[in-house]
């Protein structure tokens, strides 16, 4: 038994969706403020623990390769936290965009179906495209979260 995995909305349905979302472009932060603050607090704690360990007797016995690996991982976490801090999601007439380490974007025509995933730390919209690779967008504001839920309803999977 084969199920159809796509419900591509008509141009009229898409126009109604964009009207329901509100004036475009709709933009907002990709991550909620409390997540960004928590991420930086955890990074601060990790940095303090690294410094405390390095300054103590245990730090003198650590292999330089291990110490370098730990510092490299810490720097990578700082880079990720920085992108979380400045990342922005936009919904436009052309599609959805998000700034991140690399720019994420998907055009309305490319979306086969979308799923809204309301996690505690991040409200996400997963867009499955005709190119086969899902694109994940985060919503850090209430307006983006409501828009993501509406998009998921219009681009839902039909059996």
């Amino acid at each position: 038994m084969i199920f159809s995995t796509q419900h591509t909305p008509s141009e009229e349905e898409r126009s109604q969706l964009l009207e329901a979302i509100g004036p475009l472009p709709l933009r907002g932060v990709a991550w909620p403020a409390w997540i960004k603050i928590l991420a930086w607090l955890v990074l601060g704690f990790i940095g303090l623990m690294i410094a405390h360990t390095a300054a103590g007797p245990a730090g003198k016995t650590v292999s330089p390769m291990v110490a370098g690996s730990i510092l490299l991982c810490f720097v990578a976490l700082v880079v990720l936290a920085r992108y979380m801090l400045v990342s922005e999601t936009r919904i436009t007439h052309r599609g959805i965009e998000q700034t991140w380490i690399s720019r994420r974007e998907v055009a309305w025509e490319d979306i086969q179906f979308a799923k809204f995933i309301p996690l505690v730390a991040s409200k996400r919209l997963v867009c499955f495209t005709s190119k086969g690779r899902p694109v994940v967008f985060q919503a850090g504001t209430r307006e983006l979260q409501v828009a993501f839920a509406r998009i998921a309803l219009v681009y839902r999977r039909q059996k």
Side-chain angles (χ1 to χ4, degrees), residues 13-63:
E13 288 174 310
R14 192 176 317 146
S15 295
Q16 289 173 353
L17 168 65
L18 296 178
E19 283 179 30
I21 289 174
L24 296 179
L26 175 62
R27 67 176 55 197
V29 295
W31 297 90
W34 70 273
I35 288 294
K36 293 188 263 190
I37 292 168
L38 182 63
W40 283 101
L41 288 174
V42 169
L43 277 175
F45 178 74
I46 291 171
L48 286 174
M49 294 309 298
I50 289 171
H52 182 279
T53 302
K60 293 176 183 27
T61 62
V62 174
S63 160

CSV table of all heavy atoms in Angstrom, one decimal, residues 13-63:
chain,number,residue,atom,x,y,z
A,13,GLU,N,-4.2,28.8,-1.2
A,13,GLU,CA,-4.0,28.4,0.2
A,13,GLU,C,-2.7,29.1,0.8
A,13,GLU,O,-2.7,29.5,1.9
A,13,GLU,CB,-3.8,26.9,0.3
A,13,GLU,CG,-5.1,26.1,0.1
A,13,GLU,CD,-4.8,24.6,0.1
A,13,GLU,OE1,-4.0,24.2,-0.7
A,13,GLU,OE2,-5.5,23.9,0.8
A,14,ARG,N,-1.7,29.2,-0.1
A,14,ARG,CA,-0.4,29.8,0.3
A,14,ARG,C,-0.7,31.3,0.6
A,14,ARG,O,-0.2,31.9,1.6
A,14,ARG,CB,0.6,29.6,-0.7
A,14,ARG,CG,2.0,30.0,-0.2
A,14,ARG,CD,3.1,29.8,-1.1
A,14,ARG,NE,3.0,28.5,-1.8
A,14,ARG,CZ,3.4,28.2,-3.0
A,14,ARG,NH1,3.9,29.2,-3.8
A,14,ARG,NH2,3.3,27.0,-3.6
A,15,SER,N,-1.5,31.9,-0.2
A,15,SER,CA,-1.8,33.4,-0.1
A,15,SER,C,-2.5,33.6,1.2
A,15,SER,O,-2.3,34.5,2.0
A,15,SER,CB,-2.6,33.9,-1.2
A,15,SER,OG,-1.8,33.9,-2.4
A,16,GLN,N,-3.5,32.7,1.5
A,16,GLN,CA,-4.2,32.8,2.8
A,16,GLN,C,-3.3,32.6,4.0
A,16,GLN,O,-3.5,33.3,5.0
A,16,GLN,CB,-5.4,31.8,2.8
A,16,GLN,CG,-6.5,32.1,1.8
A,16,GLN,CD,-7.5,31.0,1.8
A,16,GLN,OE1,-7.4,29.9,2.3
A,16,GLN,NE2,-8.6,31.2,1.1
A,17,LEU,N,-2.4,31.7,3.8
A,17,LEU,CA,-1.4,31.4,4.9
A,17,LEU,C,-0.6,32.7,5.2
A,17,LEU,O,-0.5,33.1,6.3
A,17,LEU,CB,-0.5,30.3,4.6
A,17,LEU,CG,0.7,30.1,5.4
A,17,LEU,CD1,0.3,29.7,6.9
A,17,LEU,CD2,1.7,29.0,4.8
A,18,LEU,N,-0.1,33.3,4.1
A,18,LEU,CA,0.8,34.5,4.3
A,18,LEU,C,0.0,35.6,4.9
A,18,LEU,O,0.5,36.4,5.7
A,18,LEU,CB,1.4,34.9,3.0
A,18,LEU,CG,2.4,33.8,2.4
A,18,LEU,CD1,3.0,34.3,1.1
A,18,LEU,CD2,3.5,33.5,3.4
A,19,GLU,N,-1.3,35.8,4.5
A,19,GLU,CA,-2.2,36.8,5.1
A,19,GLU,C,-2.4,36.5,6.6
A,19,GLU,O,-2.4,37.4,7.4
A,19,GLU,CB,-3.5,36.8,4.4
A,19,GLU,CG,-3.5,37.5,3.1
A,19,GLU,CD,-4.8,37.6,2.4
A,19,GLU,OE1,-5.8,37.6,3.1
A,19,GLU,OE2,-4.8,37.6,1.1
A,20,ALA,N,-2.6,35.2,6.9
A,20,ALA,CA,-2.9,34.8,8.3
A,20,ALA,C,-1.6,35.1,9.2
A,20,ALA,O,-1.8,35.4,10.4
A,20,ALA,CB,-3.3,33.4,8.4
A,21,ILE,N,-0.5,34.9,8.6
A,21,ILE,CA,0.8,35.1,9.4
A,21,ILE,C,0.9,36.6,9.8
A,21,ILE,O,1.4,36.9,10.8
A,21,ILE,CB,2.0,34.6,8.6
A,21,ILE,CG1,2.0,33.1,8.5
A,21,ILE,CG2,3.3,35.1,9.2
A,21,ILE,CD1,3.1,32.5,7.7
A,22,GLY,N,0.5,37.5,8.9
A,22,GLY,CA,0.5,38.9,9.2
A,22,GLY,C,1.5,39.6,8.2
A,22,GLY,O,1.9,39.1,7.2
A,23,PRO,N,1.8,40.8,8.5
A,23,PRO,CA,2.6,41.6,7.6
A,23,PRO,C,4.0,41.0,7.5
A,23,PRO,O,4.6,40.6,8.5
A,23,PRO,CB,2.7,43.0,8.3
A,23,PRO,CG,2.3,42.8,9.7
A,23,PRO,CD,1.4,41.6,9.7
A,24,LEU,N,4.4,40.8,6.3
A,24,LEU,CA,5.7,40.2,6.0
A,24,LEU,C,6.7,41.2,5.6
A,24,LEU,O,6.4,42.2,5.0
A,24,LEU,CB,5.6,39.1,4.9
A,24,LEU,CG,4.7,37.9,5.3
A,24,LEU,CD1,4.6,36.9,4.1
A,24,LEU,CD2,5.2,37.2,6.5
A,25,PRO,N,8.0,41.1,5.9
A,25,PRO,CA,8.6,39.9,6.5
A,25,PRO,C,8.4,39.9,8.0
A,25,PRO,O,8.4,40.9,8.7
A,25,PRO,CB,10.1,40.1,6.2
A,25,PRO,CG,10.3,41.5,6.0
A,25,PRO,CD,9.0,42.1,5.5
A,26,LEU,N,8.1,38.7,8.5
A,26,LEU,CA,8.0,38.5,9.9
A,26,LEU,C,9.4,38.0,10.4
A,26,LEU,O,9.9,37.0,9.8
A,26,LEU,CB,7.0,37.4,10.2
A,26,LEU,CG,6.8,37.0,11.7
A,26,LEU,CD1,6.4,38.2,12.6
A,26,LEU,CD2,5.8,35.9,11.8
A,27,ARG,N,10.0,38.7,11.3
A,27,ARG,CA,11.3,38.3,11.7
A,27,ARG,C,11.4,38.3,13.3
A,27,ARG,O,10.6,39.0,13.9
A,27,ARG,CB,12.4,39.2,11.2
A,27,ARG,CG,12.3,40.6,11.7
A,27,ARG,CD,13.4,41.5,11.2
A,27,ARG,NE,13.5,41.5,9.8
A,27,ARG,CZ,14.5,41.9,9.0
A,27,ARG,NH1,15.6,42.4,9.6
A,27,ARG,NH2,14.5,41.9,7.7
A,28,GLY,N,12.3,37.5,13.8
A,28,GLY,CA,12.5,37.4,15.2
A,28,GLY,C,13.7,36.5,15.5
A,28,GLY,O,14.3,35.9,14.6
A,29,VAL,N,14.1,36.5,16.7
A,29,VAL,CA,15.3,35.8,17.1
A,29,VAL,C,15.0,34.3,17.0
A,29,VAL,O,13.8,33.8,17.1
A,29,VAL,CB,15.7,36.1,18.6
A,29,VAL,CG1,16.2,37.5,18.7
A,29,VAL,CG2,14.6,35.8,19.6
A,30,ALA,N,16.0,33.5,16.7
A,30,ALA,CA,15.8,32.1,16.5
A,30,ALA,C,15.7,31.3,17.8
A,30,ALA,O,15.1,30.3,17.9
A,30,ALA,CB,16.9,31.5,15.6
A,31,TRP,N,16.3,31.8,18.9
A,31,TRP,CA,16.4,31.1,20.1
A,31,TRP,C,15.8,32.1,21.2
A,31,TRP,O,16.1,33.3,21.2
A,31,TRP,CB,17.8,30.8,20.5
A,31,TRP,CG,18.4,29.8,19.5
A,31,TRP,CD1,19.1,30.1,18.4
A,31,TRP,CD2,18.4,28.4,19.6
A,31,TRP,NE1,19.5,29.0,17.7
A,31,TRP,CE2,19.1,27.9,18.4
A,31,TRP,CE3,17.8,27.5,20.4
A,31,TRP,CZ2,19.2,26.6,18.2
A,31,TRP,CZ3,17.9,26.1,20.2
A,31,TRP,CH2,18.6,25.7,19.1
A,32,PRO,N,15.1,31.5,22.2
A,32,PRO,CA,14.5,32.3,23.3
A,32,PRO,C,15.7,32.9,24.1
A,32,PRO,O,16.7,32.3,24.2
A,32,PRO,CB,13.7,31.4,24.1
A,32,PRO,CG,13.5,30.1,23.3
A,32,PRO,CD,14.6,30.1,22.2
A,33,ALA,N,15.4,34.1,24.7
A,33,ALA,CA,16.5,34.7,25.5
A,33,ALA,C,16.9,33.8,26.7
A,33,ALA,O,18.1,33.8,27.0
A,33,ALA,CB,15.9,36.0,26.1
A,34,TRP,N,16.0,33.1,27.3
A,34,TRP,CA,16.4,32.3,28.4
A,34,TRP,C,17.4,31.2,28.0
A,34,TRP,O,18.3,30.8,28.8
A,34,TRP,CB,15.2,31.8,29.2
A,34,TRP,CG,14.4,30.7,28.5
A,34,TRP,CD1,13.4,30.9,27.7
A,34,TRP,CD2,14.6,29.3,28.7
A,34,TRP,NE1,12.9,29.7,27.2
A,34,TRP,CE2,13.6,28.7,27.8
A,34,TRP,CE3,15.5,28.5,29.4
A,34,TRP,CZ2,13.5,27.3,27.7
A,34,TRP,CZ3,15.3,27.1,29.2
A,34,TRP,CH2,14.4,26.5,28.4
A,35,ILE,N,17.2,30.7,26.8
A,35,ILE,CA,18.2,29.6,26.3
A,35,ILE,C,19.5,30.2,26.1
A,35,ILE,O,20.6,29.6,26.4
A,35,ILE,CB,17.6,29.0,25.1
A,35,ILE,CG1,16.4,28.1,25.4
A,35,ILE,CG2,18.6,28.2,24.3
A,35,ILE,CD1,16.8,26.9,26.2
A,36,LYS,N,19.5,31.4,25.5
A,36,LYS,CA,20.8,32.1,25.2
A,36,LYS,C,21.6,32.4,26.5
A,36,LYS,O,22.8,32.1,26.6
A,36,LYS,CB,20.6,33.3,24.4
A,36,LYS,CG,20.1,33.0,23.0
A,36,LYS,CD,20.1,34.3,22.2
A,36,LYS,CE,18.7,34.9,22.1
A,36,LYS,NZ,18.6,36.0,21.2
A,37,ILE,N,20.8,32.9,27.5
A,37,ILE,CA,21.5,33.2,28.8
A,37,ILE,C,22.0,31.9,29.5
A,37,ILE,O,23.1,31.9,30.0
A,37,ILE,CB,20.4,33.9,29.7
A,37,ILE,CG1,20.2,35.3,29.2
A,37,ILE,CG2,21.0,34.0,31.2
A,37,ILE,CD1,19.0,36.0,29.8
A,38,LEU,N,21.2,30.9,29.4
A,38,LEU,CA,21.6,29.6,30.0
A,38,LEU,C,22.8,29.0,29.3
A,38,LEU,O,23.8,28.5,30.0
A,38,LEU,CB,20.4,28.6,30.0
A,38,LEU,CG,20.7,27.2,30.6
A,38,LEU,CD1,21.0,27.3,32.1
A,38,LEU,CD2,19.5,26.3,30.3
A,39,ALA,N,22.9,29.1,28.0
A,39,ALA,CA,24.0,28.6,27.2
A,39,ALA,C,25.3,29.3,27.7
A,39,ALA,O,26.3,28.7,27.9
A,39,ALA,CB,23.8,28.8,25.7
A,40,TRP,N,25.2,30.7,27.8
A,40,TRP,CA,26.4,31.4,28.2
A,40,TRP,C,26.8,31.2,29.6
A,40,TRP,O,28.0,31.2,30.0
A,40,TRP,CB,26.2,32.9,27.9
A,40,TRP,CG,26.4,33.2,26.4
A,40,TRP,CD1,25.4,33.4,25.5
A,40,TRP,CD2,27.6,33.2,25.7
A,40,TRP,NE1,25.9,33.5,24.2
A,40,TRP,CE2,27.3,33.5,24.3
A,40,TRP,CE3,28.9,33.1,26.1
A,40,TRP,CZ2,28.3,33.6,23.3
A,40,TRP,CZ3,29.9,33.2,25.1
A,40,TRP,CH2,29.6,33.4,23.7
A,41,LEU,N,25.8,31.0,30.5
A,41,LEU,CA,26.1,30.7,31.9
A,41,LEU,C,26.8,29.3,32.0
A,41,LEU,O,27.8,29.2,32.7
A,41,LEU,CB,24.9,30.6,32.8
A,41,LEU,CG,24.2,32.0,33.1
A,41,LEU,CD1,22.9,31.8,33.8
A,41,LEU,CD2,25.2,32.9,33.9
A,42,VAL,N,26.3,28.3,31.3
A,42,VAL,CA,27.0,27.0,31.2
A,42,VAL,C,28.4,27.1,30.7
A,42,VAL,O,29.3,26.5,31.2
A,42,VAL,CB,26.1,26.0,30.5
A,42,VAL,CG1,26.9,24.7,30.2
A,42,VAL,CG2,24.9,25.7,31.2
A,43,LEU,N,28.6,27.9,29.6
A,43,LEU,CA,29.9,28.1,29.0
A,43,LEU,C,30.8,28.8,30.0
A,43,LEU,O,32.0,28.4,30.1
A,43,LEU,CB,29.8,28.9,27.7
A,43,LEU,CG,29.5,28.1,26.5
A,43,LEU,CD1,29.3,29.0,25.3
A,43,LEU,CD2,30.6,27.1,26.2
A,44,GLY,N,30.3,29.8,30.8
A,44,GLY,CA,31.1,30.4,31.8
A,44,GLY,C,31.6,29.5,32.9
A,44,GLY,O,32.7,29.5,33.3
A,45,PHE,N,30.6,28.6,33.3
A,45,PHE,CA,31.0,27.6,34.3
A,45,PHE,C,32.0,26.6,33.8
A,45,PHE,O,33.0,26.3,34.5
A,45,PHE,CB,29.7,26.8,34.7
A,45,PHE,CG,30.0,25.8,35.7
A,45,PHE,CD1,30.3,26.1,37.0
A,45,PHE,CD2,29.9,24.4,35.3
A,45,PHE,CE1,30.5,25.1,38.0
A,45,PHE,CE2,30.2,23.4,36.2
A,45,PHE,CZ,30.5,23.7,37.6
A,46,ILE,N,31.9,26.2,32.5
A,46,ILE,CA,32.8,25.2,31.9
A,46,ILE,C,34.2,25.9,31.8
A,46,ILE,O,35.2,25.3,32.2
A,46,ILE,CB,32.4,24.8,30.6
A,46,ILE,CG1,31.2,23.8,30.7
A,46,ILE,CG2,33.5,24.0,29.8
A,46,ILE,CD1,30.5,23.5,29.4
A,47,GLY,N,34.2,27.2,31.4
A,47,GLY,CA,35.5,27.9,31.3
A,47,GLY,C,36.2,28.1,32.7
A,47,GLY,O,37.4,27.9,32.8
A,48,LEU,N,35.4,28.4,33.7
A,48,LEU,CA,35.9,28.5,35.1
A,48,LEU,C,36.5,27.1,35.5
A,48,LEU,O,37.6,27.1,36.1
A,48,LEU,CB,34.9,28.9,36.1
A,48,LEU,CG,34.5,30.4,36.0
A,48,LEU,CD1,33.4,30.7,36.9
A,48,LEU,CD2,35.7,31.3,36.4
A,49,MET,N,35.8,26.0,35.2
A,49,MET,CA,36.3,24.7,35.6
A,49,MET,C,37.6,24.3,34.9
A,49,MET,O,38.5,23.7,35.5
A,49,MET,CB,35.2,23.6,35.4
A,49,MET,CG,34.0,23.8,36.3
A,49,MET,SD,34.3,24.0,38.0
A,49,MET,CE,35.1,22.5,38.4
A,50,ILE,N,37.7,24.7,33.6
A,50,ILE,CA,38.9,24.5,32.8
A,50,ILE,C,40.0,25.2,33.4
A,50,ILE,O,41.1,24.7,33.6
A,50,ILE,CB,38.7,24.8,31.3
A,50,ILE,CG1,37.7,23.8,30.7
A,50,ILE,CG2,40.0,24.9,30.6
A,50,ILE,CD1,37.3,24.2,29.3
A,51,ALA,N,39.8,26.5,33.7
A,51,ALA,CA,40.9,27.4,34.3
A,51,ALA,C,41.3,26.8,35.7
A,51,ALA,O,42.5,26.8,36.0
A,51,ALA,CB,40.4,28.8,34.4
A,52,HIS,N,40.3,26.5,36.5
A,52,HIS,CA,40.6,26.0,37.9
A,52,HIS,C,41.4,24.7,37.8
A,52,HIS,O,42.4,24.5,38.5
A,52,HIS,CB,39.3,25.7,38.6
A,52,HIS,CG,39.4,25.2,40.0
A,52,HIS,ND1,39.7,23.9,40.3
A,52,HIS,CD2,39.4,25.9,41.2
A,52,HIS,CE1,39.8,23.8,41.6
A,52,HIS,NE2,39.6,25.0,42.2
A,53,THR,N,41.0,23.8,36.9
A,53,THR,CA,41.7,22.5,36.7
A,53,THR,C,43.2,22.8,36.2
A,53,THR,O,44.1,22.2,36.7
A,53,THR,CB,41.0,21.6,35.8
A,53,THR,OG1,39.7,21.3,36.4
A,53,THR,CG2,41.7,20.2,35.7
A,54,ALA,N,43.3,23.7,35.2
A,54,ALA,CA,44.6,23.9,34.6
A,54,ALA,C,45.5,24.6,35.7
A,54,ALA,O,46.8,24.3,35.6
A,54,ALA,CB,44.4,24.8,33.4
A,55,ALA,N,45.0,25.4,36.6
A,55,ALA,CA,45.8,26.1,37.6
A,55,ALA,C,46.2,25.2,38.7
A,55,ALA,O,47.2,25.5,39.4
A,55,ALA,CB,45.1,27.3,38.1
A,56,GLY,N,45.5,24.1,38.9
A,56,GLY,CA,45.7,23.2,40.0
A,56,GLY,C,46.7,22.1,39.7
A,56,GLY,O,47.3,22.1,38.6
A,57,PRO,N,47.0,21.3,40.7
A,57,PRO,CA,48.0,20.2,40.5
A,57,PRO,C,47.6,19.2,39.4
A,57,PRO,O,48.5,18.7,38.7
A,57,PRO,CB,48.1,19.5,41.8
A,57,PRO,CG,47.0,20.0,42.7
A,57,PRO,CD,46.4,21.3,42.0
A,58,ALA,N,46.3,19.0,39.2
A,58,ALA,CA,45.8,18.1,38.1
A,58,ALA,C,46.2,18.6,36.7
A,58,ALA,O,46.4,17.8,35.8
A,58,ALA,CB,44.3,17.8,38.3
A,59,GLY,N,46.3,19.9,36.6
A,59,GLY,CA,46.5,20.5,35.3
A,59,GLY,C,48.0,20.3,34.8
A,59,GLY,O,48.2,20.3,33.6
A,60,LYS,N,48.9,20.0,35.8
A,60,LYS,CA,50.3,19.8,35.4
A,60,LYS,C,50.5,18.4,34.9
A,60,LYS,O,51.5,18.2,34.2
A,60,LYS,CB,51.1,20.1,36.6
A,60,LYS,CG,51.2,21.5,37.0
A,60,LYS,CD,51.9,21.8,38.2
A,60,LYS,CE,51.9,23.2,38.7
A,60,LYS,NZ,50.8,24.0,38.4
A,61,THR,N,49.6,17.5,35.1
A,61,THR,CA,49.7,16.1,34.7
A,61,THR,C,49.0,15.8,33.4
A,61,THR,O,49.1,14.7,32.9
A,61,THR,CB,49.3,15.1,35.8
A,61,THR,OG1,47.9,15.4,36.0
A,61,THR,CG2,50.1,15.3,37.1
A,62,VAL,N,48.2,16.8,32.9
A,62,VAL,CA,47.4,16.6,31.7
A,62,VAL,C,48.3,16.7,30.5
A,62,VAL,O,49.1,17.6,30.3
A,62,VAL,CB,46.3,17.6,31.6
A,62,VAL,CG1,45.5,17.5,30.3
A,62,VAL,CG2,45.3,17.4,32.8
A,63,SER,N,48.1,15.7,29.6
A,63,SER,CA,48.9,15.7,28.3
A,63,SER,C,48.5,17.0,27.5
A,63,SER,O,47.4,17.4,27.5
A,63,SER,CB,48.5,14.5,27.5
A,63,SER,OG,48.8,14.6,26.2
